Amino acid sequence: MQISTYEIEGPVLITPKIFGDSRGYFMEAFKDAWFRENVADVTFVQDNQSLSAQIGTIRGLHYQLAPMGQGKLVRCLRGAIFDVAVDIRKGSSTFGQWIGVTLTSENAQQLWVPEGFAHGFCTLEPDTEVFYKVTNPYSPEHDRGVAFDDPEIGIDWPMDTAQAVLSDKDKVQPKLSGLR
């Protein structure tokens, strides 16, 4: 597996080796010892999967408060997403900055979003399935979010955000300035 890092310390893009032939392909999607040694020494406790039927569905930006903060290892099983991590670590020199990457079923890349980052994605194809491992289980009392379209963050979503398909929860998330 190959690792790519960003100017914002924390998130990591993982590109697996894919071995293909006339039958299809094989790849190692996750290997605990390798991940602990090369990315983060964490334990994953829950796997989540979502299906988004429409192009332009935005899920996020979500995070959980300590002590239930979540690190997430995200990959796209079918379709394509623009996946985003926003630094919300108080006191961080990159607070409010974001990274974005296109994850597809074809490139099989995975984005590691560590605790201290808000996470979200936008679907680029219909019937997109996303799978992610998390380091803490979902906790409704610790669940929080940030507005996906907050101009202070300035995410360059690859779509007209006025046409975004959102949950009721994501329509009313607070701005980043509310986290300071």
Side-chain angles (χ1 to χ4, degrees):
M1 290 191 206
Q2 178 184 351
I3 297 174
S4 302
T5 58
Y6 298 92
E7 289 185 21
I8 300 172
E9 186 179 338
V12 173
L13 184 67
I14 301 166
T15 304
K17 291 181 183 175
I18 300 174
F19 303 93
D21 61 24
S22 61
R23 300 168 297 166
Y25 71 89
F26 170 84
M27 70 174 199
E28 290 181 346
F30 178 76
K31 194 172 187 177
D32 184 70
W34 181 91
F35 192 88
R36 287 176 187 274
E37 183 178 324
N38 293 283
V39 180
D41 188 13
V42 297
T43 299
F44 291 104
V45 300
Q46 181 175 314
D47 290 345
N48 300 326
Q49 188 167 335
S50 70
L51 169 67
S52 298
Q54 296 178 312
I55 294 173
T57 298
I58 293 181
R59 295 181 185 261
L61 303 165
H62 303 144
Y63 66 97
Q64 286 190 176
L65 297 173
M68 298 302 289
Q70 290 181 322
K72 298 178 181 179
L73 182 60
V74 184
R75 68 184 178 126
C76 184
L77 299 177
R78 180 171 48 154
I81 61 171
F82 182 68
D83 203 35
V84 174
V86 179
D87 186 351
I88 58 168
R89 298 171 294 182
K90 294 186 189 228
S92 169
S93 64
T94 55
F95 181 86
Q97 294 181 25
W98 62 277
I99 59 103
V101 62
T102 300
L103 303 179
T104 69
S105 55
E106 286 81 23
N107 69 25
Q109 293 176 321
Q110 298 178 73
L111 183 64
W112 165 242
V113 180
E115 189 174 332
F117 285 76
H119 171 256
F121 62 85
C122 168
T123 58
L124 305 175
E125 295 181 10
D127 299 320
T128 292
E129 288 184 78
V130 176
F131 177 90
Y132 55 102
K133 303 175 96 46
V134 295
T135 59
N136 262 318
Y138 174 68
S139 174
E141 60 269 21
H142 296 90
D143 184 36
R144 298 291 187 277
V146 178
F148 78 96
D149 58 351
D150 185 340
E152 185 178 350
I153 300 170
I155 296 171
D156 186 17
W157 295 103
M159 59 167 292
D160 178 1
T161 56
Q163 304 300 316
V165 179
L166 300 166
S167 69
D168 289 342
K169 173 179 132 178
D170 288 341
K171 289 177 184 176
V172 297
Q173 295 289 7
K175 303 286 188 205
L176 181 67
S177 58
L179 301 182
R180 292 183 196 244

